[in-house]
Amino acid sequence: MITIQEAKTKSELKEYIKFPFKLYKNNKNWVPPLITDELEGFDKEKNPAFETAEAYFYVAKRNNEIVGRITAIINWSEVNDQQKKKVRFGWFDVIDDIEVTKALLEKVYELGRKHNLEYVEGPIGFSNLDKVGVLTEGFEEIGNMITWYNNPYYANHFEELGYVKEKEYIESKFPFSNVKPEFFEKANDLVKRRYSLNPLNFKTTAEVMPHVDKMFDLFNASYASLSSFVAISDSQKEYFKKKYISFINPEFIKFVEDKDHNIVAFSIVMPSFTEALQKANGKLFPFGFLHLLKAKKHSKDVIFYLIGVLPEYQNKAVTAVIFKEYYETFKEKGIVNCFRTPELADNAASINLWKHFNTVVHKRRCTYRKDL
C-alpha cells in the first residue's frame, strides 16, 4: 500500500531531500546537491520565491520506506500576471513503479483543482533560475549542479499517464580547442567602435557585487519575450546574489557597458562543481567545502550559465565582445571543456550564437504537460 505524506518539519524535509541519495547511490552520473542548500531553498522564511509562490513537499511511502517524492507548486505571478492557469511540479524522484508516480501526481492535481487551474506542467522549479525538465537523452552523461538527473523510466511514466511534451531543451558541449578566435575577433573590434562599448572584467567578488542588480534587470529585459519567463523580483535578486555569486570565479563574469556605463550585455560562466559535489556527497563539512573551493579555483571544465543582451542590442554581434574576453580568460586558465545549460530547443537566436564552436548536443530534456 502506498501512502503520501507531506514533509513539513526540518527532519521530514531532510528525509525528502535525502531520498535521491539512496535512489542514485550506485549511479556514477548523478550529482548530489548540498543538503543545507536544498533546505534553505525550501525554507519559506529564507527563499523569496515564496512571496509569490506556494509549495508543498510530499513523499510516497510503502512499508514505511520512502519510494518517491514530489513538490507541488503554484507560481502566482505566472497565474495572475500571465494568466497561465498552471500548477507546477518539481523535485520529482521515484522508483520504477508507475503507481507511485500516479499517487504523487494526484497531490499536484488536488492543488490545481483547488484553485481552478487548468493544467499541470513539470518538472520545473519556482522560477526561471531553478532546475528544469526531465532528462530524455544523455543518461550516460554525468550531471551538474544546475540540472536534475533522472532514470530513463521517468519519461515513460509521464507518457503512460497521458502527459505530452510541453517544452524541449537541449544541452551542448564543446572542447575549448574548438574555439577559433578569428570568428569573433573582427566583430569584437567593429562592435566596440560602432557602439562605443567596453568590456568589464573582474578579479574579485567585491568588484562584481555593485553591478549585480543591474545584471538581473538586464536578465529580466533580455528574456521577457520568452513564453515561459517569469521576472526576477528585487528580493529574489538579493537571494540569488548570495546563493550563486560566491560560487563563481569572478573572472568568469563578463559585462559589456556603453559609453554612459550602462550594462548592455552580460554573461555568467560557472566552474564545474560536478566532481566536487560527488566527493562532498551532500555535506559541506568536514571536507566538502574544500572540494568546492578547489573546483572554484582550478576546474578545467566550465558551464555557460547565462547570457543576456538588451533587446535593442540583440542582433548586433555584442556577444562577440563577450566571447573575446572569455577566450583570453580561458586560454590563461587552461580550460579544457565548455558546457551549456539547458536552453529551449526552439530558441534559434540563442542556439545560433554557438554555430562556430562545433557544439555537440549531448543531452535532451523536456517538461511534460497534462490538462486537469
Side-chain angles (χ1 to χ4, degrees):
M1 179 179 174
I2 302 164
T3 60
I4 304 297
Q5 298 176 11
E6 184 178 355
K8 294 181 177 180
T9 67
K10 186 174 181 180
S11 62
E12 289 170 342
L13 286 168
K14 271 191 176 180
E15 279 192 325
Y16 173 101
I17 292 164
K18 287 182 177 180
F19 170 65
F21 284 74
K22 178 182 177 182
L23 185 66
Y24 294 104
K25 183 177 180 180
N26 298 314
N27 190 313
K28 65 181 181 180
N29 293 320
W30 181 69
V31 177
L34 293 173
I35 293 170
T36 54
D37 192 50
E38 292 283 273
L39 275 173
E40 182 176 301
F42 298 155
D43 190 326
K44 295 176 174 62
E45 301 300 318
K46 293 181 179 179
N47 187 346
F50 290 101
E51 294 173 3
T52 55
E54 59 181 278
Y56 304 89
F57 308 94
Y58 297 103
V59 294
K61 289 188 175 183
R62 179 185 285 146
N63 299 326
N64 207 35
E65 180 182 351
I66 295 178
V67 289
R69 67 169 192 172
I70 202 168
T71 302
I73 306 164
I74 299 178
N75 183 315
W76 286 110
S77 293
E78 180 177 57
V79 173
N80 295 326
D81 299 340
Q82 298 185 5
Q83 293 299 300
K84 291 183 179 178
K85 305 302 182 182
K86 174 170 78 180
V87 57
R88 301 172 167 220
F89 70 89
W91 288 274
F92 172 79
D93 286 292
V94 70
I95 63 169
D96 191 6
D97 185 333
I98 198 166
E99 294 303 319
V100 180
T101 297
K102 190 185 299 184
L104 286 166
L105 286 168
E106 190 58 44
K107 302 305 293 186
V108 183
Y109 306 155
E110 286 177 13
L111 179 63
R113 290 171 182 143
K114 176 182 176 182
H115 295 284
N116 299 311
L117 300 180
E118 296 172 356
Y119 67 99
V120 57
E121 183 184 355
I124 42 180
F126 306 116
S127 77
N128 296 82
L129 290 180
D130 286 316
K131 299 175 182 180
V132 65
V134 62
L135 197 63
T136 56
E137 292 180 22
F139 304 103
E140 72 288 354
E141 298 279 341
I142 198 164
N144 58 56
M145 73 178 294
I146 48 183
T147 57
W148 284 310
Y149 183 86
N150 59 267
N151 286 316
Y153 59 78
Y154 284 33
N156 297 337
H157 284 198
F158 294 137
E159 289 168 7
E160 285 183 44
L161 293 172
Y163 282 75
V164 295
K165 290 182 179 179
E166 174 70 357
K167 299 181 185 72
E168 294 192 72
Y169 299 82
I170 59 172
E171 294 177 52
S172 303
K173 63 180 179 179
F174 58 94
F176 181 60
S177 59
N178 275 13
V179 180
K180 308 303 180 190
E182 57 267 25
F183 285 120
F184 48 77
E185 281 184 330
K186 184 176 181 181
N188 165 69
D189 295 336
L190 181 63
V191 167
K192 286 198 293 187
R193 286 199 308 271
R194 178 174 293 173
Y195 303 111
S196 300
L197 302 179
N198 287 298
L200 288 181
N201 290 291
F202 308 98
K203 291 292 185 183
T204 68
T205 302
E207 292 174 348
V208 176
M209 284 302 185
H211 303 276
V212 174
D213 285 345
K214 291 180 180 179
M215 181 195 73
F216 279 118
D217 289 339
L218 196 155
F219 171 78
N220 282 340
S222 299
Y223 290 88
S225 62
L226 293 180
S227 61
S228 59
F229 185 72
V230 179
I232 305 299
S233 69
D234 288 343
S235 54
Q236 284 176 307
K237 292 175 191 176
E238 291 301 315
Y239 177 73
F240 287 123
K241 196 185 300 184
K242 294 174 184 175
K243 184 173 182 179
Y244 290 116
I245 300 300
S246 62
F247 266 105
I248 304 169
N249 184 328
E251 293 171 280
F252 291 169
I253 298 176
K254 308 292 184 185
F255 292 166
V256 179
E257 63 177 13
D258 65 15
K259 58 181 173 53
D260 297 317
H261 304 294
N262 298 309
I263 296 174
V264 302
F266 78 94
S267 179
I268 295 178
V269 167
M270 301 184 74
S272 174
F273 290 103
T274 295
E275 291 184 12
L277 286 168
Q278 287 184 325
K279 290 176 181 177
N281 197 32
K283 299 177 181 178
L284 272 176
F285 302 100
F287 303 115
F289 78 97
L290 293 175
H291 297 308
L292 293 169
L293 187 60
K294 181 179 178 181
K296 177 180 177 179
K297 292 183 177 180
H298 302 296
S299 176
K300 299 304 178 186
D301 293 346
V302 294
I303 302 169
F304 278 83
Y305 182 46
L306 286 175
I307 291 182
V309 180
L310 277 180
E312 56 264 40
Y313 281 90
Q314 291 172 6
N315 302 316
K316 292 182 178 178
V318 175
T319 51
V321 181
I322 290 173
F323 288 151
K324 176 64 166 61
E325 297 305 314
Y326 277 127
Y327 179 77
E328 299 301 332
T329 300
F330 291 176
K331 184 170 64 173
E332 177 187 332
K333 293 191 171 296
I335 297 303
V336 176
N337 294 303
C338 302
F339 297 84
R340 289 156 57 200
T341 51
E343 58 189 338
L344 286 164
D346 60 1
N347 189 348
S350 177
I351 294 169
N352 193 49
L353 290 177
W354 310 91
K355 62 183 179 182
H356 295 305
F357 298 155
N358 296 317
T359 62
V360 173
V361 175
H362 66 123
K363 297 179 190 175
R364 294 183 187 272
R365 62 180 65 239
C366 68
T367 60
Y368 278 90
R369 169 183 172 144
K370 185 176 182 179
D371 292 338
L372 293 174

